[in-house]
């Protein structure tokens, strides 16, 4: 948020799941749809979920990916990538979601 203000844009945090980006930021010159990914330790990985990727395709150069390194520190480093769907060679992968459940059962219930 501070980064956007310092660079002359007005940020607005988006909490709605259906929007598929985290911050809408704008100025008289431009508007940005920003997806932010935070990392505590350095690593270079770009991972967009399907709906985030689709939003990127829709917005084109107005969509930005901010990779924030050093989350929770005094001096985080922000790597900003404009239109990552076009600028970075992303590979589509399919993943399975594992749901872990904990169950207790007394067995057969006789009435």
């Amino acid at each position: 948020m501070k980064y956007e203000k310092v660079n002359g844009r007005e940020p607005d945090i988006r909490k709605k799941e259906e929007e598929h980006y985290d911050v809408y930021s704008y100025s008289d010159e431009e508007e940005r749809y920003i997806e932010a990914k935070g990392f505590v330790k350095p690593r270079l990985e770009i991972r967009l979920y399907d709906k985030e990727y689709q939003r990127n395709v829709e917005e084109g150069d107005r969509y930005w990916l901010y990779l924030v390194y050093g989350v929770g520190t005094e001096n985080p480093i922000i790597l900003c990538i404009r239109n990552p769907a076009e600028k970075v060679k992303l590979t589509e992968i399919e993943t399975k979601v594992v749901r872990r459940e904990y169950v207790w059962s007394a067995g057969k219930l006789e009435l």
Side-chain angles (χ1 to χ4, degrees):
M1 301 298 279
K2 181 180 176 183
Y3 179 83
E4 290 303 293
K5 289 182 179 185
V6 166
N7 286 284
R9 293 180 292 274
E10 190 60 39
D12 179 16
I13 295 177
R14 299 296 163 129
K15 297 287 185 185
K16 297 179 182 173
E17 176 85 16
E18 66 272 6
E19 297 203 18
H20 308 296
Y21 58 94
D22 299 318
V23 178
Y24 173 73
S25 186
Y26 61 93
S27 68
D28 291 339
E29 291 82 35
E30 73 172 318
E31 59 181 344
R32 292 182 177 198
Y33 296 85
I34 301 167
E35 178 61 33
K37 305 287 186 185
F39 304 94
V40 174
K41 295 182 178 180
R43 77 183 221 209
L44 188 56
E45 177 180 272
I46 297 172
R47 183 178 298 259
L48 292 177
Y49 295 106
D50 187 52
K51 302 242 177 183
E52 295 167 348
Y53 180 83
Q54 295 307 323
R55 184 65 183 235
N56 180 179
V57 171
E58 289 172 21
E59 300 300 340
D61 282 344
R62 294 182 301 182
Y63 192 93
W64 289 75
L65 176 63
Y66 285 17
L67 302 177
V68 184
Y69 298 99
V71 171
T73 66
E74 291 184 28
N75 297 308
I77 297 170
I78 303 173
L79 174 61
C80 304
I81 303 171
R82 184 179 206 165
N83 196 357
E86 183 178 300
K87 303 269 174 26
V88 179
K89 184 177 176 169
L90 298 171
T91 302
E92 182 180 334
I93 62 171
E94 288 189 27
T95 58
K96 287 186 178 184
V97 176
V98 174
R99 185 175 74 191
R100 198 168 275 152
E101 297 179 352
Y102 299 86
V103 178
W104 175 85
S105 175
K108 186 176 179 183
L109 181 62
E110 294 190 31
L111 300 176

